[in-house]
Amino acid sequence: MVYRVYLTIILNFICLCSFAQKRPLDHSVYDSWQSIKSPKVSLDGQYVLYSVTPQEGDAHLFITTPSGEVILNVPRGENGIFTNNSQYAVAAIKPSFAETRQAKIKKKKEKEMPKDSLAIISLLDKSIYKTGNVKSFKLADESSEYIAYLEEKEALKADSAEKDNKSKDKKADEAGILHLRNMATGQEEIFEQVTDYFFDNIANFLVFVRSEKKEAPVNNAGLFLYEIKEKKLKQISRGRGTYRQITFDQSGTQLAFAAEKSPEKALQKPYSLYYYTSERDTANVIASINSAGMPTNWNVSGDGNLRFSKNGEKLFFGIAPIPRVKDTTIVDFEVANVDIWNWKDDYLQPQQLVNLKQDLAKSYLSVIYPKRNNIVIPLASLDIPDIDLTDDADNIYALGSTNAGKRIAAQWEGNTKQDFYLISTVDGSKVKIASDIYGQAHLSPLGKYVVWYDMATQQWNAYDVGTRFLKILNTDLPVSFADEDNDSPTFARPYGIAGWTAEDKEVLIYDKYDIWSFDPQGDDRRLLTNGAGRSTKTTFRYEDIVPKTGARKHDKSIIINTKEAFLVSAFNHINKNGGWFETNPRNKRDPKELIMAPYTYKNILAATDKKLIIYTKENYEESPDLYATASLFKNETKLSAINLQQKQYNWGTAELVKWTTPGGHEATGILYKPEDFSEAKKYPMITYFYEKLSDGLHTYIPPAPTPSRLNISYFVSNGYLVFAPDISYEIGHPGKSAEEYINSGVKELAKFSWVDEKHLGIQGQSWGGYQVAHLITRTDMYAAAWAGAPVVNMTSAYGGIRWSTGLNRQFQYEKTQSRIGKDLWEGYDLYIENSPLFHLKAVKTPVVIMANDNDGAVPWYQGIEMFTALRRLNKPVWLLNYNGEEHNLVKRQNRKDIQIREQQFFDHFLKGKPAPVWLEKGIPATLKGIDWGLDLVD
């Protein structure tokens, strides 16, 4: 008995020691940290699938029952889907990470790289059919009987003669072997030399493009139609060329496509629109350059999407101006290579160059009635380029939108005014229904109404297409339907539309908290959530949880049945808890709480009958695992268990903190503490900020090499406090606003004995980087600062270019994030006040700058200006330029590198640890790629 007592005491002591000695995270843990990818629920609610994916390594695809029983585990399985009949699952099997890595090390070419395999899983007998080298696979929208997949040819080692002929017949080289597989029997039909393929909606037909090598008979190439049940193959278009935009109508009785069959070296390759029905021997051209209705010097576009209306009467396709051909007799070295900027251009030259490929492929929507005649009816034009159709496109009118004549102002406004038109699909006639609107318009699902929110007037408008009557929906309502927290010098954006009821009877619109229903024709206005959202500071949002099925499923509008109760997500702005409610618009009562908890819920999906619901659930301490409920959250089953290794590490906690700023503003932030936090200790604290972050209180933050944000979980695990304050801004004074909220929050926390007020750091990226740069010019309370991609000179940045988009930056200062609210000449003093460059003489804080030479958002010379100024002023400063990198780091090796450097920097200045070589001595260009300077100085 005494032995057992002593043994129990010893075991308890070991457990306590194990808890106390949980090790901190290190940089080696990142690759193994997992996440849930592509969760799906079968439509019958009998199965769930998901992939568990490490940050770096091989995924596993799991198929389970709703009770959590694992039916199958497919190594390296990703992107799984269920068939519509819930009898099969299909997934890609990726090559192993190790195999792919070795291939990259050996610098193998793309065709020689390891290829995906395909897994077809029978849920009836749990068997798996696997096949390799699969380029793609497709299922019909409304059938699960067949699957088609394209097998990639094995790369052959070419001899010297073959190398000489390489790429002369690129299309033929890229062709693969098309397999048509009966899911039940496993029988396959095989078709050689295929480049593209499509099913009709119900898998009666498979159409595919065959590309043959030049030495093969020309008639072997073309478009083929295979009647699956009858096993009949028919060539419906002959000849080598490019076949694009292949589409069936909803019944599968009509087929259309765009094709060009010009000689390979032709300077112009005009497309024609082809049309086929079973009554025809081959597809016929129904639209081309000489067609009736085709605008002069326009033709069919190979880039415009094709679609039939649901009733099959209309065929929509793209047309475009015929491009000018480059004169091949011109010798490049004898002519100028110059970009010409003109002040009258709609778009600046850099933006034109960024969008050049897109603009060259731009098409303009037109319609033709293939059963009636072959007259082309243009709907879009250069003046009205953007056209929206309804889900079915059976209605008469399309919606046209344009900002023509108003585009130049986007340089400093950001947004542009829009004009809206009704455009007849019968004769192409146009009726302007609104002018100079700051906002976007939307057609109702059946096309009975056009609805838009005008940000300038703060009004929701509904235009009755039949009566041509315009109605303001939110007249005299005591709430705002646009961002109530907007603190930028631009119009507040609307919270948006939840959806429509059947037959376009009602449109459901959000305010900040609640869901409203408006009758666009009458005066009926209903508050579907009974005002409970506003009274409790809880945001309710409709969740469309049942996956859409059938033809054009991805384009279907959200239709909400307000005659029965429906599920809404909930987010409480006071405690940041998330959850789910059920609201029943018929009873005019508050929504019924199903669950509210300190979690964030995501990835919610339901079976067709909505009885089984799956979702991920997370908070700072718990990974986002997958759960299932069949009882509307009364009970739940945990289906996954990722990141069990987290228990081995000193993790952390997240809590809300509140304080009052010197200006009397109520402020909120998040404080992250180590799991082994003790009030008896003193902790260095890093403050990380952007704009508002506290809504993420219950968000899991995995240890990961971030693009440039603070790696919060890593620093917390390693004995740091991390503070993330929310910031509200005064227009014209973004820098002072940062001081108001950030500094006051830090000072409030520094009153606690466990905060080491002598070892405080700050870190921010982009807009956060700017605020870091500003703060260190105004206070010396921070012992270390890290600024990623900061703007330090608003006067030079104002006229700069965002090279990833080609946009000028003026709008950012006058209207959006930088919040000056005036142009440079009117607001000169404000630009100087808010530019850290002009105040760097006051800096006493050591600072690291990240400024990458391929930054497409913030000109990297902003970082150079900051570095060279501080160097001139003899201030401690370092600059990291990750060569060829973006605004936020993309390459994983660079992300890993910056985590180490950031940890070393803060450890040195906030914990007194030895400095690394790069920080103490630097790395000369002669040692670049040889020595990274990460060793610590003795």
Side-chain angles (χ1 to χ4, degrees):
M1 178 65 75
V2 173
Y3 171 78
R4 288 180 179 175
V5 170
Y6 278 123
L7 181 59
T8 301
I9 293 172
I10 291 170
L11 288 174
N12 287 338
F13 177 75
I14 291 172
C15 289
L16 288 171
C17 288
S18 297
F19 176 80
Q21 295 174 1
K22 280 187 177 183
R23 61 184 187 271
L25 293 166
D26 59 60
H27 299 297
S28 69
V29 307
Y30 302 140
D31 293 350
S32 63
W33 229 263
Q34 301 162 324
S35 59
I36 300 292
K37 299 289 186 183
S38 304
K40 300 286 190 303
V41 57
S42 62
L43 293 180
D44 67 358
Q46 297 302 305
Y47 303 99
V48 176
L49 67 76
Y50 59 92
S51 289
V52 174
T53 307
Q55 291 182 28
E56 194 168 275
D58 297 329
H60 280 259
L61 183 137
F62 293 90
I63 299 178
T64 77
T65 65
S67 63
E69 177 190 355
V70 176
I71 296 173
L72 285 169
N73 174 357
V74 183
R76 307 194 313 281
E78 295 185 29
N79 304 318
I81 60 171
F82 287 112
T83 56
N84 287 342
N85 63 6
S86 301
Q87 294 180 8
Y88 302 93
V90 184
I93 299 178
K94 297 291 183 180
S96 72
F97 176 81
E99 183 184 7
T100 302
R101 180 175 178 272
Q102 282 302 313
K104 289 179 179 178
I105 290 172
K106 294 177 181 178
K107 297 182 179 180
K108 289 192 174 183
K109 297 175 182 178
E110 185 177 352
K111 284 187 70 69
E112 298 173 333
M113 292 294 288
K115 303 295 190 299
D116 289 357
S117 297
L118 179 69
I120 302 173
I121 303 158
S122 170
L123 301 173
L124 303 177
D125 61 13
K126 314 304 183 287
S127 62
I128 305 178
Y129 170 78
K130 298 178 182 178
T131 182
N133 292 332
V134 173
K135 198 172 185 178
S136 63
F137 71 87
K138 293 178 182 178
L139 294 159
D141 284 340
E142 299 181 36
S143 173
S144 306
E145 193 173 354
Y146 294 91
I147 185 172
Y149 62 90
L150 192 61
E151 177 188 352
E152 199 165 352
K153 292 178 184 177
E154 292 277 3
L156 300 176
K157 291 183 178 179
D159 59 27
S160 58
E162 288 173 326
K163 288 179 181 178
D164 291 339
N165 292 323
K166 192 175 178 183
S167 4
K168 288 184 179 178
D169 209 352
K170 189 175 181 182
K171 287 182 184 176
D173 289 341
E174 291 177 351
I177 303 169
L178 178 64
H179 297 250
L180 174 65
R181 182 180 181 85
N182 185 303
M183 298 285 271
T185 67
Q187 292 182 338
E188 289 194 349
E189 303 288 339
I190 293 176
F191 309 95
E192 301 276 356
Q193 288 297 123
V194 173
T195 58
D196 209 352
Y197 59 102
F198 301 89
F199 281 112
D200 69 315
N201 291 326
I202 56 176
N204 281 338
F205 303 99
L206 178 67
V207 63
F208 59 87
V209 180
R210 174 176 282 165
S211 177
E212 289 288 0
K213 291 185 178 293
K214 287 182 178 178
E215 60 270 18
V218 67
N219 286 341
N220 286 6
L223 190 67
F224 291 77
L225 182 72
Y226 185 69
E227 296 182 47
I228 296 174
K229 297 290 193 301
E230 292 75 15
K231 297 182 183 287
K232 292 181 180 179
L233 181 64
K234 183 178 183 181
Q235 187 170 13
I236 62 173
S237 188
R238 298 179 184 278
R240 297 188 183 94
T242 303
Y243 297 80
R244 302 188 64 188
Q245 313 300 337
I246 301 165
T247 186
F248 285 93
D249 73 340
Q250 192 156 328
S251 67
T253 60
Q254 301 179 91
L255 173 69
F257 58 93
E260 63 83 14
K261 303 178 185 180
S262 305
E264 186 177 346
K265 294 184 179 180
L267 296 179
Q268 283 192 336
K269 296 190 176 184
Y271 279 83
S272 296
L273 178 65
Y274 287 77
Y275 174 73
Y276 174 81
T277 66
S278 58
E279 290 81 18
R280 302 168 183 244
D281 291 331
T282 60
N284 297 330
V285 174
I286 61 171
S288 64
I289 188 170
N290 296 317
S291 292
M294 182 71 71
T296 303
N297 294 323
W298 286 53
N299 194 20
V300 174
S301 169
D303 297 295
N305 290 330
L306 266 65
R307 64 170 288 194
F308 285 93
S309 57
K310 183 179 180 181
N311 62 19
E313 295 297 316
K314 307 172 192 176
L315 173 58
F316 297 92
F317 65 103
I319 63 175
I322 298 171
R324 291 177 62 177
V325 175
K326 186 176 181 180
D327 186 346
T328 56
T329 65
I330 293 177
V331 181
D332 287 345
F333 62 79
E334 292 180 345
V335 294
N337 186 12
V338 58
D339 298 329
I340 300 172
W341 299 39
N342 191 305
W343 70 291
K344 296 179 182 179
D345 288 344
D346 279 350
Y347 304 105
L348 291 174
Q349 274 287 317
Q351 188 176 359
Q352 293 181 46
L353 293 171
V354 168
N355 296 331
L356 183 59
K357 185 176 180 180
Q358 174 185 320
D359 289 342
L360 290 173
K362 186 171 180 58
S363 66
Y364 299 81
L365 191 68
S366 296
V367 66
I368 199 168
Y369 289 76
K371 296 179 182 178
R372 196 182 308 170
N373 56 47
N374 293 341
I375 298 175
V376 176
I377 304 173
L379 303 177
S381 64
L382 295 176
D383 292 330
I384 309 175
D386 300 318
I387 304 293
D388 289 326
L389 303 173
T390 59
D391 294 2
D392 297 335
D394 288 340
N395 59 304
I396 293 176
Y397 289 100
L399 171 64
S401 302
T402 181
N403 61 358
K406 305 163 187 176
R407 294 167 182 155
I408 292 176
Q411 178 176 320
W412 53 89
E413 292 279 350
N415 294 313
T416 56
K417 296 177 182 178
Q418 298 280 329
D419 297 338
F420 305 135
Y421 292 80
L422 289 180
I423 302 176
S424 171
T425 61
V426 176
D427 59 17
S429 59
K430 301 171 177 61
V431 176
K432 182 183 281 191
I433 62 174
S435 300
D436 295 333
I437 304 298
Y438 279 106
Q440 302 297 319
H442 310 273
L443 272 172
S444 61
L446 298 182
K448 295 180 180 180
Y449 304 97
V450 180
V451 175
W452 66 86
Y453 182 82
D454 188 340
M455 293 186 287
T457 63
Q458 301 182 29
Q459 293 173 338
W460 274 107
N461 300 268
Y463 182 88
D464 189 318
V465 173
T467 66
R468 305 293 170 93
F469 178 74
L470 178 64
K471 179 181 179 182
I472 299 172
L473 298 178
N474 59 323
T475 302
D476 301 327
L477 288 178
V479 298
S480 171
F481 287 84
D483 186 0
E484 296 181 13
D485 303 309
N486 178 47
D487 56 8
S488 294
T490 190
F491 298 122
R493 294 187 175 276
Y495 290 106
I497 295 175
W500 289 78
T501 60
E503 302 300 320
D504 290 356
K505 294 289 186 183
E506 299 170 282
V507 58
L508 277 58
I509 299 177
Y510 297 128
D511 70 15
K512 180 177 180 178
Y513 300 105
D514 291 296
I515 306 173
W516 294 75
S517 172
F518 295 91
D519 178 352
Q521 193 172 47
D523 296 324
D524 187 23
R525 302 186 294 192
R526 296 187 292 158
L527 190 50
L528 301 185
T529 46
N530 207 39
R534 190 164 293 275
S535 65
T536 61
K537 296 295 184 286
T538 300
T539 292
F540 293 121
R541 292 294 181 257
Y542 176 78
E543 297 292 337
D544 194 31
I545 61 176
V546 178
K548 292 181 172 64
T549 58
R552 299 187 62 83
K553 58 188 176 184
H554 301 298
D555 298 324
K556 290 184 177 179
S557 298
I558 295 175
I559 305 299
I560 302 171
N561 185 357
T562 57
K563 295 179 180 179
E564 63 181 27
F566 56 83
L567 194 68
V568 293
S569 64
F571 176 79
N572 184 275
H573 291 263
I574 298 172
N575 58 25
K576 312 299 181 182
N577 286 357
W580 301 95
F581 281 65
E582 189 176 64
T583 188
N584 191 335
R586 293 176 301 170
N587 60 24
K588 296 182 180 180
R589 296 175 185 167
D590 289 355
K592 176 185 175 184
E593 181 180 322
L594 303 175
I595 188 171
M596 282 295 281
Y599 289 98
T600 295
Y601 296 83
K602 297 178 182 176
N603 301 309
I604 184 165
L605 291 169
T608 300
D609 61 9
K610 300 184 183 179
K611 290 182 180 178
L612 178 69
I613 298 173
I614 64 171
Y615 52 92
T616 57
K617 185 177 77 170
E618 65 185 274
N619 60 25
Y620 182 72
E621 298 176 48
E622 298 179 32
S623 285
D625 271 305
L626 189 64
Y627 292 79
T629 180
S631 58
L632 282 179
F633 304 97
K634 290 179 182 176
N635 299 293
E636 65 181 12
T637 300
K638 188 176 182 181
L639 301 179
S640 66
I642 61 174
N643 299 323
L644 297 178
Q645 73 275 21
Q646 180 180 312
K647 296 177 182 178
Q648 305 169 19
Y649 296 97
N650 182 43
W651 195 247
T653 61
E655 62 188 65
L656 275 184
V657 292
K658 296 180 181 292
W659 71 99
T660 302
T661 72
H665 305 289
E666 296 302 314
T668 304
I670 305 173
L671 180 63
Y672 298 93
K673 296 177 179 176
E675 183 180 343
D676 61 355
F677 173 81
S678 169
E679 292 190 358
K681 297 181 179 178
K682 274 190 175 294
Y683 296 87
M685 185 171 75
I686 301 173
T687 299
Y688 168 73
F689 39 81
Y690 191 73
E691 291 185 342
K692 290 182 172 63
L693 301 173
S694 68
D695 284 356
L697 174 68
H698 301 309
T699 299
Y700 186 75
I701 304 177
T706 74
S708 40
R709 301 183 304 273
L710 187 72
N711 192 348
I712 290 176
S713 50
Y714 175 87
F715 280 99
V716 170
S717 178
N718 280 271
Y720 287 87
L721 302 173
V722 173
F723 175 45
D726 288 349
I727 308 161
S728 295
Y729 295 92
E730 178 187 353
I731 305 304
H733 305 283
K736 288 182 178 178
S737 300
E739 298 172 51
E740 174 81 6
Y741 285 85
I742 298 169
N743 291 350
S744 66
V746 171
K747 290 175 180 177
E748 188 69 22
L749 288 174
K751 294 176 182 178
F752 292 101
S753 61
W754 34 267
V755 174
D756 186 348
E757 70 279 4
K758 293 183 179 179
H759 293 95
L760 304 173
I762 50 176
Q763 198 271 4
Q765 161 68 15
S766 189
W767 180 239
Y770 157 72
Q771 292 171 103
V772 167
H774 176 88
L775 291 176
I776 61 175
T777 68
R778 297 301 199 269
T779 180
D780 60 0
M781 65 189 289
Y782 301 110
W786 188 287
V791 166
V792 295
N793 184 355
M794 290 191 177
T795 66
S796 60
Y798 175 81
I801 298 293
R802 298 174 67 98
W803 291 106
S804 62
T805 61
L807 294 173
N808 177 251
R809 296 175 53 85
Q810 290 174 356
F811 73 92
Q812 188 167 335
Y813 299 90
E814 295 188 39
K815 293 294 183 183
T816 62
Q817 189 176 60
S818 297
R819 295 176 170 87
I820 300 300
K822 296 180 179 180
D823 64 41
L824 178 59
W825 304 274
E826 183 185 2
Y828 175 79
D829 291 343
L830 295 177
Y831 282 83
I832 298 299
E833 171 193 316
N834 289 283
S835 294
L837 180 73
F838 302 110
H839 313 284
L840 290 178
K841 195 170 183 179
V843 170
K844 297 181 180 179
T845 304
V847 59
V848 172
I849 305 159
M850 185 194 78
N852 301 324
D853 53 24
N854 197 38
D855 190 327
V858 171
W860 85 296
Y861 53 74
Q862 288 289 315
I864 295 173
E865 287 189 50
M866 183 177 180
F867 177 85
T868 56
L870 288 170
R871 175 180 159 103
R872 173 65 180 84
L873 293 167
N874 199 29
K875 312 283 186 178
V877 60
W878 300 260
L879 187 145
L880 304 176
N881 167 27
Y882 288 92
N883 302 156
E885 269 285 16
E886 308 290 335
H887 182 65
N888 295 298
L889 296 175
V890 174
K891 295 178 181 178
R892 188 169 176 84
Q893 65 267 33
N894 291 337
R895 292 182 176 190
K896 287 183 174 182
D897 181 87
I898 203 171
Q899 308 310 310
I900 298 171
R901 295 185 194 280
E902 200 163 33
Q903 168 244 318
Q904 291 178 334
F905 173 74
F906 283 120
D907 276 359
H908 175 64
F909 286 105
L910 302 187
K911 287 187 172 182
K913 291 187 177 181
V917 171
W918 70 270
L919 198 68
E920 182 67 25
K921 300 178 181 179
I923 301 297
T926 53
L927 293 179
K928 181 179 177 179
I930 299 172
D931 185 350
W932 281 261
L934 297 174
D935 293 336
L936 300 181
V937 176
D938 294 332

